[in-house]
Amino acid sequence: MTARLRHLGPVVVAALLSAGCASTITVDLASPSVTPETGPTRPVATSIPDEPRPTATPTLDPQPGAAGVGDPYFPDLGNGGYDVARYVVALTWDPTTREVTATTHVEATATQDLSSFNLDLHGLVVDEVAVDGVTASYRRDLDEMTITPATPLATGTRFVTTIDYHGQPRAVPMGGVPIGGWFDDGDTVYVAGEPSGAQTWFPVNNHPSDRAFLRVELTVPDGLTAVANGRFVGTEPAADNHTTWVYETTDTLAPYLITLAIGDFVEVDGGDVDGVQIRSWFERSVAGEAARFAAIADGVRVFGRLFGPYPFEAYGVLVVDASLGGALETQTLSIFGTDFLDRGADITDVVVHELAHQWFGDDIALAQWDDIWLNEGFATYSEYLYREQVEPLFDIDTAMADLAALDPAVVALPVPGDPGPDQLFAAAVYLRGALTLHALRRTIGDNAFFTTLRHYVETFGSANVVTSDFTGIAEEISGQRLDDFFEAWLHEESLPPLPGS
Ligand code: TRP
Ligand code: ZN
């Protein structure tokens, strides 16, 4: 978990460098309208796909799907040969054995003729696998599960894979990389798994490039509360004094942005802000801390004006009474541990950091993990943009100069453009990433900079990006060639001087 702990660096540094936070907004805020998103219209997972699957013909050339999507940092994450449309995870939690008994339906479309395909799954016992209701054979090799359907799948076929499994989900590092995922503190359980933890609790195409809708049905003993991303659909009584809690996302999301928690939680209604429903869940023992997250409402307004309307229908925080090693921008419901709550410190920076990730990281998602600065640099700079908007006396140039003056071992290296898989969340990814954006702003001017941000969100919202998608827009809007600029800021060892300093 070293990389996770490293995350504490930048937010703490940012907090130390920032002046006190004013409680009111002084700018005149427009009210952006939120476009209603259409939900998934496909049939429920258990139904048979619309079109009958073509039986294997001589014209098919079925091949095994690849065991990874070819990510430069994590070659085994994700899989080739299909695209997931939706996951439906029905999971029963037993607080006595600490085990889950679950069925995951994976609704997907074949993107090649498939003789077999892989899903990522870490640990757990698989009981049965079926494709379109027909038992399929499977084999497991560490975190790769290879499924061979009874008949091959032709390109373009929609198919549903059903996996029944059970066991104690376990989060352990894989090859030095923090996998995270399902955590059990002996009382509450919760999920926080960037970059790879999703596969600790359900079979998944575990890469941000395959975004999918999600429905979770969490069955827990009466008296426990189950929380997950997205829209609360409702509860249904289940056998033996259990209740099933159902959540469904209205937008697609990357697997690492899924969260859930089971325990004693209370919901805190934050009302409607610019058409966004604000709702949070606090573990009862920390429910008294809710007021410290008050920046959410102002943040939705401020960032809505700077970046474009908040991209989803709801937002809030899920606060668990456990040390998480940071906070994670899980989509529509960022998960926080008690790490930041100690000693009553101002947590505005981290609150708005996770909110900003909803635009940068969640709505605009990575295509490859080596572009992590597109998430962390943007969310970190957003902490400063927020202060600039709400604190009349905040001087962002001074704040950035202070950052740039930190020890180069902290702020400059590893280079944010290619930090390496073990240093994905190193402080420099956050800090030098933020400095890169400030340097860009001082190079192309406020107008071009903020227009670039809005165009970037407008163009790549609900899509996946690489760094050149952003830098291309900056060049187009500014009319300047910026390849040397970005090369120096993102890839050269020494930290360039901030323009004008
Ligand atoms: N993306 C998180 C942030 O900066 C940091 C993070 C990465 C994290 N992996 C994690 C936090 C796992 C908690 C658990 O906002
Ligand atoms: Zn972050």
Side-chain angles (χ1 to χ4, degrees), residues 8 23 51 57 66 155 196 212 220 371 394 418:
L8 288 175
S23 56
E51 295 138 42
T57 66
T155 307
S196 59
V220 300
D371 286 314
F394 182 72
D418 190 11

Side-chain angles (χ1 to χ4, degrees), residues 4 7 192-195 324-329 353-354 357 376 425 430:
R4 281 178 50 218
H7 164 64
E194 185 186 18
L324 199 60
L328 182 60
E329 62 269 25
H353 177 107
E354 305 312 333
H357 268 309
E376 301 305 346
F425 304 106
Y430 291 69

Side-chain angles (χ1 to χ4, degrees), residues 93 95 98 169-170 181-191 261-265 283 285 319-324 337-338:
W93 168 242
R98 316 306 285 178
R170 288 210 190 280
W182 182 281
F183 290 96
D184 180 354
D185 73 3
D187 173 27
T188 304
V189 290
Y190 56 93
V191 165
I262 299 169
D264 185 11
F265 284 83
E283 192 161 354
S285 49
V319 183
V320 295
D321 190 357
S323 172
L324 199 60
T338 48

Side-chain angles (χ1 to χ4, degrees), residues 15-384:
L16 290 173
L17 289 169
S18 303
C21 181
S23 56
T24 50
I25 299 191
T26 53
V27 291
D28 183 26
L29 295 166
S31 305
S33 63
V34 175
T35 319
E37 302 282 352
T38 37
T41 50
R42 50 190 65 255
V44 293
T46 44
S47 69
I48 303 298
D50 305 340
E51 295 138 42
R53 170 159 19 119
T55 47
T57 66
T59 57
L60 286 190
D61 179 23
Q63 302 288 332
V69 295
D71 188 276
Y73 283 2
F74 307 112
D76 298 336
L77 287 186
N79 304 283
Y82 64 92
D83 239 314
V84 178
R86 182 167 79 137
Y87 298 97
V88 179
V89 186
L91 182 151
T92 301
W93 168 242
D94 184 336
T96 309
T97 61
R98 316 306 285 178
E99 285 196 2
V100 301
T101 305
T103 300
T104 291
H105 302 277
V106 183
E107 304 173 4
T109 301
T111 56
Q112 66 171 68
D113 294 347
L114 283 170
S115 54
S116 66
F117 60 92
N118 279 24
L119 285 164
D120 303 312
L121 181 66
H122 178 76
L124 299 164
V125 179
V126 172
D127 300 308
E128 161 116 53
V129 177
V131 174
D132 291 337
V134 179
T135 302
S137 64
Y138 64 93
R139 116 184 105 73
R140 299 192 68 188
D141 181 14
L142 297 175
D143 286 20
E144 295 293 339
M145 176 159 74
T146 304
I147 296 169
T148 306
T151 50
L153 300 158
T155 307
T157 307
R158 279 179 52 188
F159 63 102
V160 180
T161 307
T162 304
I163 303 99
D164 297 322
Y165 57 102
H166 72 275
Q168 270 186 8
R170 288 210 190 280
V172 297
M174 298 289 301
V177 174
I179 186 169
W182 182 281
F183 290 96
D184 180 354
D185 73 3
D187 173 27
T188 304
V189 290
Y190 56 93
V191 165
E194 185 186 18
S196 59
Q199 68 204 47
T200 62
W201 64 283
F202 73 108
V204 55
N205 194 30
N206 199 5
H207 195 269
S209 57
D210 194 1
R211 307 159 68 126
F213 292 101
L214 171 73
R215 175 180 166 97
V216 286
E217 304 172 357
L218 301 169
T219 301
V220 300
D222 292 346
L224 289 180
T225 305
V227 183
N229 311 71
R231 195 172 60 84
F232 173 58
V233 176
T235 53
E236 287 164 34
D240 300 325
N241 303 313
H242 282 60
T243 298
T244 304
W245 299 67
V246 182
Y247 297 84
E248 219 164 42
T249 68
T250 315
D251 297 275
T252 62
L253 77 177
Y256 80 92
L257 296 173
I258 300 172
T259 189
L260 64 79
I262 299 169
D264 185 11
F265 284 83
V266 290
E267 188 173 8
V268 176
D269 179 7
D272 173 294
V273 176
D274 288 353
V276 182
Q277 186 208 348
I278 309 296
R279 50 87 184 92
S280 294
W281 291 92
F282 286 80
E283 192 161 354
R284 191 177 301 278
S285 49
V286 290
E289 310 285 343
R292 296 172 66 189
F293 292 83
I296 289 172
D298 286 351
V300 167
R301 293 191 196 98
V302 167
F303 292 152
R305 200 176 58 88
L306 291 179
F307 309 148
Y310 176 80
F312 311 115
E313 64 175 344
Y315 188 66
V317 291
L318 168 59
V319 183
V320 295
D321 190 357
S323 172
L324 199 60
L328 182 60
E329 62 269 25
T330 37
Q331 192 162 306
T332 74
L333 188 67
S334 295
I335 184 167
F336 284 69
T338 48
D339 316 61
F340 298 106
L341 299 178
D342 291 350
R343 297 181 294 278
D346 181 5
I347 61 168
T348 302
D349 282 320
V350 65
V351 169
V352 301
H353 177 107
E354 305 312 333
L355 173 62
H357 268 309
Q358 303 297 312
W359 284 264
F360 304 114
D362 296 9
D363 188 32
I364 301 178
L366 298 182
Q368 350 182 122
W369 282 109
D370 57 344
D371 286 314
I372 185 68
W373 87 279
L374 292 173
N375 288 6
E376 301 305 346
F378 281 64
T380 304
Y381 192 55
S382 298
E383 299 170 30
Y384 294 87

